[in-house]
Amino acid sequence: MSIPVIAIDGPSASGKGTVAALAARALGFHYLDSGAIYRVTAFAAQRAGVDLTDEPGLARLAAGLDLRFDGVEVYLDGQPVGDVIRTEEAGRAASRIAALPELRAALLERQRAFRQAPGLVTDGRDMGSVVFPDARLKIFLTASVEERAQRRYKQLIEKGLGANLAALLQDLRERDERDAARAAAPLQQGADARLLETTSLTIDQAVAQVLAWFREAGDPA
Ligand code: CDP
């Protein structure tokens, strides 16, 4: 029987990462934050002087990245990268390179390698549509753009990073637009994904819904 995957996709700052990590912990499953891979790739490119529009150069760099996760920390070349990949600027750079199909292809197998027993919970934009099309449960997790701006604001302040609510709202609208309009793996709810609208849900309620749907999905016969 194949190793179960819960794929949680959705727009920026919807809280999908928090929900996915907590669901993984509750189930004793592995967790993959696929956005972190795009963020760290953009960071590594900037550090190596590879232009963010140089598609073959980025794909080469991505294929050779020495990348490791330990909990929420990401290690690049054996060194923890810390919160430099969590800024809005890093998110924008990630979103720019994420539009490039060659780069996405170069990251595909790396992401699939996280599928390990007893299971995986993962979040991103194309986890259910491209990376794990046979995921046992696919969820599209979203919230209103105003609520997402509030969530991101709170998250950045808690990390001690600067934040401006009006600028965040503007940035989220642009990011939504770019992630949804791109040709390669655009952000959209797949026909086989369940919609989890979290504008008025607490984190615990959202996690409980994921777990309930997963129980419902059961073991395939
Ligand atoms: O939550 P937020 O969008 O701020 O950040 P993220 O999930 O860390 O993703 C950063 C960027 O990477 C997104 O804006 C997407 O453009 C891109 N991404 C993607 O294209 N595919 C994924 N599976 C994950 C992230």
Side-chain angles (χ1 to χ4, degrees):
M1 196 171 48
S2 70
I3 296 168
V5 175
I6 300 179
I8 305 183
D9 291 304
S12 217
S14 52
K16 58 193 186 308
T18 305
V19 170
L22 288 172
R25 191 189 300 167
L27 292 164
F29 281 12
H30 299 278
Y31 166 58
L32 167 64
D33 169 6
S34 66
I37 297 184
Y38 288 90
R39 287 169 179 264
V40 78
T41 302
F43 170 74
Q46 284 164 325
R47 201 179 60 175
V50 177
D51 195 274
L52 296 188
T53 59
D54 173 5
E55 189 165 359
L58 288 167
R60 250 193 324 275
L61 175 109
L65 279 185
D66 172 10
L67 205 59
R68 188 168 60 79
F69 281 82
D70 187 6
V72 291
E73 187 53 85
V74 185
Y75 289 80
L76 179 63
D77 297 327
Q79 300 295 320
V81 289
D83 283 341
V84 287
I85 61 161
R86 299 294 169 190
T87 64
E88 282 307 284
E89 199 194 339
R92 266 195 301 276
S95 164
R96 280 180 61 196
I97 65 165
L100 305 171
E102 262 189 72
L103 172 81
R104 302 194 71 88
L107 292 175
L108 201 52
E109 289 313 316
R110 191 184 282 275
Q111 295 174 83
R112 288 185 176 150
F114 283 84
R115 184 178 202 161
Q116 304 225 352
L120 174 70
V121 185
T122 179
D123 79 281
R125 301 295 187 287
D126 62 341
M127 295 299 99
S129 55
V130 177
V131 184
F132 301 106
D134 64 339
R136 190 176 298 173
L137 173 62
K138 300 181 186 181
I139 294 173
F140 189 78
L141 191 155
T142 188
S144 71
V145 71
E146 292 81 11
E147 173 65 21
R148 289 188 281 125
Q150 291 282 357
R151 289 179 186 174
R152 178 52 52 89
Y153 181 79
K154 211 171 136 238
Q155 186 184 45
L156 289 170
I157 296 296
E158 275 166 9
K159 281 188 190 295
L161 299 167
N164 169 301
L165 195 56
L168 279 174
L169 192 58
Q170 172 70 14
D171 189 53
L172 281 180
R173 289 202 165 105
E174 283 168 16
R175 197 105 73 85
D176 283 358
E177 170 68 28
R178 186 162 52 226
D179 287 353
R182 70 183 182 212
L187 171 71
Q188 58 186 25
Q189 183 187 351
D192 53 355
R194 305 186 78 148
L195 177 64
L196 186 49
E197 218 295 328
T198 66
T199 305
S200 55
L201 294 188
T202 63
I203 291 169
D204 287 349
Q205 287 172 323
V207 174
Q209 181 59 262
V210 172
L211 297 176
W213 279 339
F214 184 64
R215 275 193 300 274
E216 232 176 273
D219 282 340

